[in-house]
Every structure is written in C-alpha cells, then in structure tokens.
Amino acid sequence: MNATEFAAAQWTRATGAGVDPHEYQRITAGLTSVTDWGPSFLRTGHSYLQRAEHARSPLSVGEYLLMAARWFHLATLAPYAETPRAAVEADHALSRALTVLEPAARRVSGEGFTGWLRGPADAPGTVVVIPGLDSAKEEFLDLVSALLARGLAVFAMDGSGQGVLAATTAFVPDYERVVSRVIDALGVTRIGLVGLSLGGYFAARAAALEPRVAAVATVSGPFRLDWEELPQPVRDIMAQRTGGADAAREFVRHVDLAALAPRIAAPLLVVDGGQDVIPGVTNGEPLARLAPRGNYLSVPYGDHLLGNARPDWLPHLSDHLTRTLTGALV
C-alpha cells in the first residue's frame, strides 16, 4: 500500500479522532511513502506543542495540547521505529492538557492499565472507555466529551498492550481481570463499559464475567476472529501487541463470544458499520442477538469505528449508557 492509499484508508479514523480534515489532507498530501507517516505526524504534534507554549489563555493551551495528543497517537498507526516515543508523547500531551483544563481530573494506574478519570466526583455513573488493537485513550476524546456532557464520569484507559503501555506489556485474553482492577481502583459502584474495535470484545467479555458492570456498548467490535483469514497487516499488529506470531495466534483463538454473550446481563448496545468488512472478522450482530438484553445498531455506510457517521451512533450510544446508568431521560 502506498502513502496515498494508506492515508485514504485512515481518513475517517483520523477525522473521527478529531483532527482537522483540511490539515490532515495537507499533511498526508506531502507523504511520499508510508514510512514518512510517523515522522510527519510527530512533527505536526510538536507544532501544536509550540502553539501551546505561545497561547495566551489556559483554554487555548489545553486545546492545543489535546490536539497534539491526537496527532501523536495517529503517528503510531503506521510502522515506525519511534512508535513507542509517539505513544509516550501522546500520553504526556493529554496529561498536560487535563492538568490545565480539568484540575480535578485524576490519573489512575494499576497492574495492566493507566488512564484519566474525568467528570464530577458525585457522578451517578462512571463509564470506562476501552481502546482496541492499535487505538489508545487519546483517540476517543470526542466520545469522552459526549459522555461528560451528559453528567457521567469517564475513565479513558490504556490497557495491557495498548497506547502508552504497548511497549512494555502485551495483550491478555482475560481482559476482564484488567477491568476488575480498574473498578477496584476507581472505587465506584455504577460502571458502564464502551469498547471500540477489539476493545468491543474486551468490553463484552468483561460484561459477561464481571458482575459489577451495569451497562455496556461496543463499536466495531468483533464477535469472533479467524487467524487464517485475517489480513497480514492485522496479524502483524497482533503479533507486535502479544509478543510474537504464536502468541498472537493463541490470543485470536480466545476471541469468540459465542459462549459468553448469553451471560451478559447488563443492557448492551452493539454498533456496527455496514461498510466495515474485514476478512476473518465476524462483526457484532450475533453478540446483540445472543445477549439477553442486546440491541443492534447498524449504520449502512459506516466504516470501521464509524468515524464517517458519528451523528448516526454517538448520541445514541451516549444516551444508552446514560439512561442505563442513571435512569434519567436525556
């Protein structure tokens, strides 16, 4: 895949993450090779750090830092030797932004996870946002904002093998243990989960096995994976995140929700894009059908993570979690 094709493939994911579409086009138009992706996106992130240094208000400082975090994270999406540094830079930019914008925000870390707890201390419910195969907490800032606007608290996290932890930890099949440790560390009682891409599998699995989960939603989450059918680039990322091809194959063997879906007692919303077709990936319709309280939302023109269709699912998902956790009309 050449640079133009790669940029086109990442278009809705990048703009869905909140970067300016015109700037994205300018940056990617200058790429001569996919190997230029990481350095170019890192430079763009640094340009936002420089803007933050010269900004004249704390709000502008924070906004520039949040945008830097987005660009640094996106730098990790193409093969690049400096990917771990880009993930660290994304984490640092987000941390600096929240320190400025939300002094009450709290960093919470534990075995196999780290992230930021945001929102009111007396929130009626807390939503844990779980990223996927190569996503991270910095990718879903707009989702977090939608949940915060509804009065919920939100913990946006990187788990084992994800985001800033990708360089030092590996994916674990029993992700429900990570979620249980997160709930213990947060010390809250009303927990919802939203998982995106592979995070949808993690969220559904945790909802089946962790009884404290009261609400759950998945976006572009797999019901089942077939290693033999997965595209090579997906296998390569999986191998990086698990510790090798054999470990990746073994991990993929566990990604099957057929037996767990009937055990999900919490209200579940499954969101899929009709254009999200990846060989070796069974999308979420069977999960919604097998879960006792499952509902299915398919957006016909939505692609993976539905960055091209946010009005069709983001308010619906946010309202589902709010209604379930609070009982309030939104």
Side-chain angles (χ1 to χ4, degrees):
M1 184 180 293
N2 62 35
T4 300
E5 293 168 337
F6 187 81
Q10 302 298 329
W11 161 255
T12 60
R13 180 170 179 184
T15 56
V19 303
D20 180 80
H22 304 288
E23 185 171 27
Y24 180 84
Q25 288 180 323
R26 288 196 301 271
I27 299 302
T28 58
L31 303 180
T32 59
S33 166
V34 175
T35 59
D36 296 332
W37 175 280
S40 295
F41 278 51
L42 267 178
R43 284 195 298 270
T44 306
H46 285 132
S47 76
Y48 277 97
L49 295 186
Q50 292 171 0
R51 291 183 176 108
E53 292 298 326
H54 296 97
R56 297 186 176 183
S57 73
L59 179 60
S60 293
V61 170
E63 289 173 342
Y64 283 138
L65 290 170
L66 287 178
M67 194 56 67
R70 291 177 170 99
W71 283 101
F72 286 138
H73 163 64
L74 292 172
T76 70
L77 300 186
Y80 179 42
E82 295 295 313
T83 289
R85 180 167 72 89
V88 169
E89 296 235 37
D91 181 73
H92 286 174
L94 177 61
S95 299
R96 289 178 58 195
L98 294 180
T99 300
V100 172
L101 295 173
E102 299 176 27
R106 180 162 59 98
R107 185 77 180 232
V108 182
S109 301
E111 182 184 350
F113 72 89
T114 189
W116 282 90
L117 178 63
R118 301 168 60 186
D122 59 350
T126 302
V127 177
V128 178
V129 178
I130 302 174
L133 177 62
D134 60 352
S135 52
K137 61 188 181 301
E138 293 81 18
E139 186 167 339
F140 305 116
L141 296 173
D142 288 355
L143 167 60
V144 171
S145 294
L147 296 168
L148 291 172
R150 287 159 172 79
L152 297 171
V154 183
F155 182 66
M157 64 176 284
D158 293 330
S160 298
Q162 298 171 317
V164 73
L165 300 181
T168 56
T169 63
F171 280 165
V172 292
D174 52 348
Y175 201 95
E176 70 279 1
R177 295 181 183 272
V178 177
V179 172
S180 295
R181 291 194 291 268
V182 167
I183 298 173
D184 290 341
L186 297 181
V188 295
T189 56
R190 295 290 290 171
I191 283 286
L193 305 178
V194 54
L196 300 107
S197 190
L198 185 62
Y201 163 73
F202 292 144
R205 180 183 175 97
L209 299 171
E210 169 50 77
R212 291 175 290 180
V213 175
V216 61
T218 69
V219 180
S220 298
F223 177 77
R224 181 183 293 115
L225 295 179
D226 182 340
W227 175 263
E228 300 303 327
E229 298 294 328
L230 287 174
Q232 191 60 49
V234 176
R235 291 194 202 181
D236 291 343
I237 298 170
M238 192 74 73
Q240 293 167 7
R241 299 302 173 105
T242 57
D246 291 341
R249 185 189 296 268
E250 177 62 17
F251 176 85
V252 166
R253 187 179 66 80
H254 290 277
V255 182
D256 187 337
L257 291 167
L260 290 175
R263 299 177 59 179
I264 299 175
L268 164 69
L269 175 66
V270 175
V271 179
D272 273 343
Q275 301 301 310
D276 183 13
V277 180
I278 302 173
V281 180
T282 302
N283 287 343
E285 188 278 332
L287 171 62
R289 176 164 37 84
L290 293 172
R293 303 171 72 183
N295 286 285
Y296 189 57
L297 173 61
S298 178
V299 181
Y301 47 83
D303 55 14
H304 191 65
L305 291 173
L306 296 97
N308 64 334
R310 286 194 298 175
D312 295 287
W313 65 271
L314 182 53
H316 188 75
L317 179 145
S318 302
D319 290 348
H320 159 76
L321 291 168
T322 305
R323 281 195 303 268
T324 305
L325 291 175
T326 71
L329 296 176
V330 291

